[in-house]
Amino acid sequence: MKPVNDAKTALIIIDVQNGFLDPIHWGTTRSTPECEENIALLLKAAREHNKKQGEGAEAASNTVAVCHIHHHSIYPDSALHPTARVEINGKLVEAVQPQSFARPEPGEPVFIKNVNSSFIGTGLETYLKSQGIRQLIIVGLTTDHCVSTTTRMANNLRVISIASPTGELDEGDIILVSDACATFAKGGFDAETVHRVNLASLNEEFAQVVNTQDVLGLVFG
């Protein structure tokens, strides 16, 4: 994990959409109640960093690429199908739209997927390579599905790796923020257990699993 000024960084926000506010579709218990608050903190830190960079090519080279991943299911019964609606504060809204705190701002790319991986059927890999990204910060929903799959594929595809003239591989840094992602109970296991076991499986093999305060202090501090 490197300071943002030392490594071109992308914040990858996965599936923070209204459909996950459905009170029953995904289950009645969820892990990491602080998840949304922490995503908002990281998003704010990235945007504030970018505002300080000013304008011009030199400034752009040091900005954080804020990438929004949205799931549009091909299955009509999914809570993330483009026709799905969910009630929020007494009003029916489109389930595939981002939650209010995670709405993209102008200039922030949005990638639409219909499978677990953020890299299949999207331009995300091409975009990250074109921007010279060397560090990923991954957050979102859900830990064991789209977050896990995206983290594994980011590592396996070596989307932020570069080879030196001597052939040595610099793999960059993939950071998965443990308290800025969440999941639901399933298979007879409670939500926190599902969340923690999946993080443990990813840590030090596919990513560095850290918490929000680590990232705010070491990357954006």
Side-chain angles (χ1 to χ4, degrees):
M1 184 162 54
K2 298 180 178 66
V4 68
N5 290 326
D6 294 343
K8 180 68 174 174
T9 298
L11 175 62
I12 310 295
I13 304 170
I14 301 173
D15 297 355
V16 183
Q17 295 163 262
N18 290 332
F20 279 111
L21 299 175
D22 188 296
I24 59 173
H25 183 87
W26 311 99
T28 57
T29 60
R30 201 201 77 171
S31 73
T32 336
E34 69 275 26
C35 171
E36 287 80 2
E37 179 181 354
N38 287 330
I39 293 173
L41 287 172
L42 293 166
L43 185 54
K44 179 181 178 182
R47 287 170 172 168
E48 288 184 347
H49 169 82
N50 289 348
K51 288 177 182 177
K52 294 176 182 177
Q53 302 312 302
E55 300 179 354
E58 184 176 345
S61 69
N62 203 34
T63 56
V64 176
V66 178
C67 302
H68 301 264
I69 316 299
H70 294 165
H71 193 89
H72 287 200
S73 178
I74 63 173
Y75 301 107
D77 61 345
S78 171
L80 290 175
H81 188 270
T83 62
R85 300 291 184 270
V86 63
E87 185 176 332
I88 300 176
N89 297 325
K91 181 180 179 181
L92 282 178
V93 298
E94 294 182 26
V96 295
Q97 290 301 308
Q99 294 182 34
S100 58
F101 74 91
R103 289 176 183 144
E105 291 190 349
E108 297 176 353
V110 178
F111 300 90
I112 306 298
K113 64 180 178 63
N114 59 31
V115 293
N116 298 115
S117 173
S118 299
F119 294 103
I120 294 178
T122 73
L124 179 61
E125 180 179 2
T126 299
Y127 176 80
L128 295 175
K129 289 180 176 179
S130 73
Q131 298 298 304
I133 301 299
R134 302 302 327 287
Q135 178 165 257
L136 300 181
I137 301 170
I138 299 175
V139 303
L141 303 167
T142 60
T143 313
D144 53 327
H145 289 163
C146 298
V147 171
S148 175
T149 304
T150 297
T151 301
R152 291 169 185 270
M153 287 197 69
N155 179 284
N156 286 176
L157 290 170
R158 293 177 173 164
V159 296
I160 58 171
S161 300
I162 58 172
S164 71
T166 61
E168 296 179 2
L169 189 67
D170 180 348
E171 295 185 317
D173 292 280
I174 299 174
I175 301 164
L176 177 56
V177 189
S178 61
D179 54 359
C181 53
T183 193
F184 299 84
K186 55 179 64 70
F189 297 97
D190 66 88
E192 286 292 345
T193 296
V194 176
H195 177 69
R196 291 178 183 178
V197 168
N198 277 273
L199 291 175
S201 180
L202 294 166
N203 191 33
E204 298 183 357
E205 180 71 19
F206 298 95
Q208 305 164 46
V209 177
V210 301
N211 63 41
T212 297
Q213 290 305 313
D214 290 334
V215 177
L216 292 175
L218 296 175
V219 176
F220 294 109

